[in-house]
Amino acid sequence: MAQRQARIAFDPRFTVADVPDRLFGSFVEHLGRCVYTGIYEPGHPTADAAGLRGDVLELVRELGPTMIRYPGGNFVSGYRWEDGVGPKQDRPRRLDLAWGVTETNQFGLGEFMKFCRAVGVEPNMAVNLGTRGLQEALDLMEYANHPSGTALSDLRRSHGDEEPYGIKLWCLGNEMDGPWQIGQMTATEYGRIADQTARAMRMIDPSLDLVACGSSSRGMPTFGSWEAEVLANCYKSVDFISAHAYYHPGDGDIPSFMASAQDMELFIDGVIATADAVGAELKTDKKINISFDEWNVWYQQDWEKSEHAKWVEAPRQLEDRYSAMDAVVFGSLLITLLRRADRVTAACLAQLVNIIGPIMTEPGGPAWRQTTFYPFAEASRHGRGKVLRVSADSPGFDTDKYGEVSALHSVAVAGEDGSVTVFAVNRDLDRPLTLTVDAGALESVGSVTCSTLTDEDPDARNTIDDQNRVVSVENKTVTTEDGTISVELPAMSWNTIRIRP
Ligand code: AHR
């Protein structure tokens, strides 16, 4: 069989957008073992004085998230933030209806802020618009952001945090369209509450960045009409509309799973078209951008079929173990977010540790990298600067859901130092690709390297006993001649090509 060929070309003068810092966000929810025995485990041999696991902090720094959304997720819709502040012995144990467990509240806002400072990320805080509303959102803001001299700001100071937290990015509730959500609302109800909450929060601080809930997925029956109605109510008072998407093969064909980014692109197109239509009707030049604040591969069907003991503390929930194939699909989702960075200006990988996370831990034991760790870490590290317009030509492969889809999925990012990084996925499960990169428009092409994540076994995973079964390794097939680079992309692979001046 002749080797399949793909080609891309770009010119650093032609750009899509600056890569927004917030594109590499992640998410910590009070869910399963994300917090407890994930990032927080006071008895762990590596724990610091605040109970944060040192081995996890180190891996999070290496992963490189820029922002972390907290405390949910579905959890936030039943959460009383004040349960999680103040002396630990006084914190109440509560039923968490979202996940059917007991919440001990030993970790709360103060601990989360310590975690954010320890790993150097921006906090992204969600308010409860399920069982609570405007007043509690204002109380939380006063506790978190007001310097001093009021009941709640002084309460924070009495809890040991003299300085305000300065949280700038806030989510107005979570997935309020979902029948599973505590306090689900219609679009009209939610749009009005989001608007009122946003306007009142801005009375405390007009410079906040506020996210209204969009649809919980593109598959929701109200997708589109939900965004239109919510934004008709709160367009002027918010900055972002959220999007959430999780991908898994389900009962479908694997090639369609490999092409999941097609769905993500359609989702982004649909939300932007809807938001812009509302803006056009309002005759405003203000644009609402997307906060893609939950995205990942998630084998949801396994979770739906699983049984859990009720009201236990921090059980093993949603602990997907990612395969090499999952990491390639995951990388392709990241490529989509970068390609659409003109309008997707915030995003959160859901989630960070244990819960559908790139990092796994054992209580009292080790922490290790899942396969999905590598694409995220490489994109966060090297995908900074300006997204370039890329022209691409690639052979295709057949999928049941999307018809023929190109095997190559790629994006190029120009750094300030004159380097360009190409992230490229070969989505074809069986056939390798020779990729030719026309870098002739660059002033110079110095050293070129490529790292590749793939495996002959699509199902290969990293486990506690074999933590480095699937890793990114140097791809030694790179050649360069007169500004043209050539590299072999194995079937089902994620690749990071670094072109230095
Ligand atoms: O990330 C897991 C859950 O998925 C979140 O709690 C919820 O917002 C979404 O449905």
Side-chain angles (χ1 to χ4, degrees):
M1 200 199 329
Q3 175 73 333
R4 283 155 54 96
Q5 309 281 335
R7 171 178 286 269
I8 61 168
F10 49 77
D11 183 320
R13 289 171 301 176
F14 303 132
T15 63
V16 174
D18 287 348
V19 178
D21 262 358
R22 289 173 172 160
L23 203 66
F24 301 106
S26 185
F27 177 27
V28 166
E29 177 166 2
H30 283 249
L31 163 54
R33 300 192 306 115
C34 187
V35 170
Y36 302 109
T37 73
I39 62 176
Y40 177 78
E41 189 179 341
H44 192 271
T46 69
D48 64 13
L52 301 172
R53 276 183 68 150
D55 54 350
V56 174
L57 291 177
E58 235 171 79
L59 284 177
V60 174
R61 288 187 199 110
E62 182 185 326
L63 181 74
T66 48
M67 176 252 285
I68 294 188
R69 182 168 174 249
Y70 174 83
N74 298 337
F75 172 78
V76 78
S77 295
Y79 184 50
R80 301 175 229 213
W81 65 268
E82 58 275 36
D83 286 350
V85 300
K88 295 204 178 194
Q89 69 276 13
D90 299 338
R91 298 189 190 178
R93 294 164 61 83
R94 300 271 190 202
L95 298 182
D96 164 16
L97 306 188
W99 299 104
V101 300
T102 295
E103 170 57 51
T104 64
N105 284 305
Q106 291 304 292
F107 188 98
L109 178 56
E111 289 79 22
F112 173 63
M113 290 307 302
K114 281 196 178 79
F115 175 74
C116 289
R117 285 192 291 265
V119 290
V121 299
E122 179 187 4
N124 168 358
M125 192 76 193
V127 301
N128 174 357
L129 295 184
T131 58
R132 308 189 109 188
L134 200 161
Q135 182 60 59
E136 292 85 353
L138 295 179
D139 289 349
L140 172 55
M141 256 201 87
E142 183 186 322
Y143 180 92
N145 283 4
H146 194 69
S148 64
T150 64
L152 290 169
S153 56
D154 287 342
L155 183 64
R156 182 200 66 244
R157 294 171 67 227
S158 77
H159 293 157
D161 280 329
E162 189 68 32
E163 294 303 318
Y165 299 144
I167 302 172
K168 192 151 168 69
L169 182 59
W170 296 78
C171 297
L172 303 170
N174 176 69
E175 295 189 346
M176 298 308 298
D177 61 333
W180 58 87
Q181 201 66 216
I182 306 167
Q184 182 200 4
M185 291 174 199
T186 65
T188 312
E189 289 165 344
Y190 171 69
R192 198 171 141 69
I193 287 172
D195 180 55
Q196 291 186 339
T197 309
R199 285 192 287 123
M201 288 172 80
R202 286 194 196 284
M203 288 176 190
I204 303 182
D205 179 357
S207 77
L208 298 178
D209 293 329
L210 299 177
V211 186
C213 294
S215 295
S216 302
S217 77
R218 181 168 171 256
M220 294 300 284
T222 50
F223 171 60
S225 63
W226 172 273
E227 280 77 2
E229 179 62 13
V230 167
L231 287 176
N233 280 277
C234 66
Y235 197 98
K236 291 187 180 148
S237 53
V238 304
D239 306 282
F240 294 92
I241 183 93
S242 71
H244 292 179
Y246 293 104
Y247 296 98
H248 58 85
D251 300 327
D253 61 311
I254 295 296
S256 294
F257 175 55
M258 295 301 295
S260 295
Q262 298 292 113
D263 179 87
M264 193 185 229
E265 281 179 15
L266 291 168
F267 194 178
I268 293 168
D269 286 345
V271 175
I272 289 172
T274 310
D276 287 353
V278 178
E281 237 179 278
L282 293 172
K283 300 183 179 53
T284 170
D285 56 6
K286 174 180 174 181
K287 294 282 184 210
I288 297 288
N289 286 325
I290 297 178
S291 171
F292 218 117
D293 48 36
E294 290 188 29
W295 67 269
N296 203 346
V297 170
W298 175 12
Y299 284 73
Q300 240 160 321
Q301 74 271 32
D302 297 350
W303 154 250
E304 279 153 11
K305 283 185 216 135
S306 64
E307 302 216 343
H308 295 268
K310 277 279 210 183
W311 315 128
V312 295
E313 290 173 27
R316 290 179 190 262
Q317 291 171 300
L318 281 61
E319 298 199 3
D320 286 24
R321 306 296 165 117
Y322 291 113
S323 66
M325 179 170 70
D326 297 331
V328 175
V329 173
F330 177 100
S332 181
L333 300 176
L334 260 173
I335 286 173
T336 304
L337 295 172
L338 279 163
R339 284 164 67 111
R340 307 311 300 273
D342 53 335
R343 296 300 295 274
V344 181
T345 53
C348 300
L349 158 62
Q351 297 192 9
L352 185 64
V353 183
N354 291 325
I355 300 295
I356 48 176
I359 297 168
M360 293 302 298
T361 68
E362 266 307 302
W368 66 98
R369 301 166 191 80
Q370 293 237 54
T371 58
T372 53
F373 185 99
Y374 295 94
F376 191 98
E378 288 168 19
S380 173
R381 181 143 180 233
H382 301 302
R384 303 304 183 95
K386 289 183 188 301
V387 180
L388 302 183
R389 293 194 183 285
V390 173
S391 304
D393 180 37
S394 163
F397 67 107
D398 291 324
T399 70
D400 285 354
K401 265 197 201 163
Y402 312 105
E404 195 187 53
V405 168
S406 66
L408 176 73
H409 193 213
S410 65
V411 68
V413 180
E416 276 180 3
D417 57 355
S419 68
V420 170
T421 301
V422 175
F423 300 107
V425 158
N426 179 2
R427 302 191 275 196
D428 192 303
L429 279 168
D430 309 308
R431 292 167 291 185
L433 264 183
T434 301
L435 173 65
T436 304
V437 180
D438 179 348
L442 296 182
E443 271 181 20
S444 63
V445 174
S447 78
V448 182
T449 53
C450 176
S451 63
T452 294
L453 181 148
T454 188
D455 203 288
E456 280 177 6
D457 175 7
D459 205 38
R461 290 153 211 262
N462 297 335
T463 61
I464 187 169
D465 299 322
D466 193 357
Q467 297 177 7
N468 299 311
R469 167 73 171 84
V470 183
V471 297
S472 239
V473 295
E474 187 189 347
N475 181 328
K476 296 198 172 125
T477 65
V478 180
T479 61
T480 313
E481 203 183 326
D482 295 336
T484 299
I485 299 154
S486 169
V487 57
E488 304 299 314
L489 309 185
M492 197 206 69
S493 62
W494 155 266
N495 306 273
T496 302
I497 303 160
R498 302 263 298 132
I499 309 166
R500 295 177 191 79

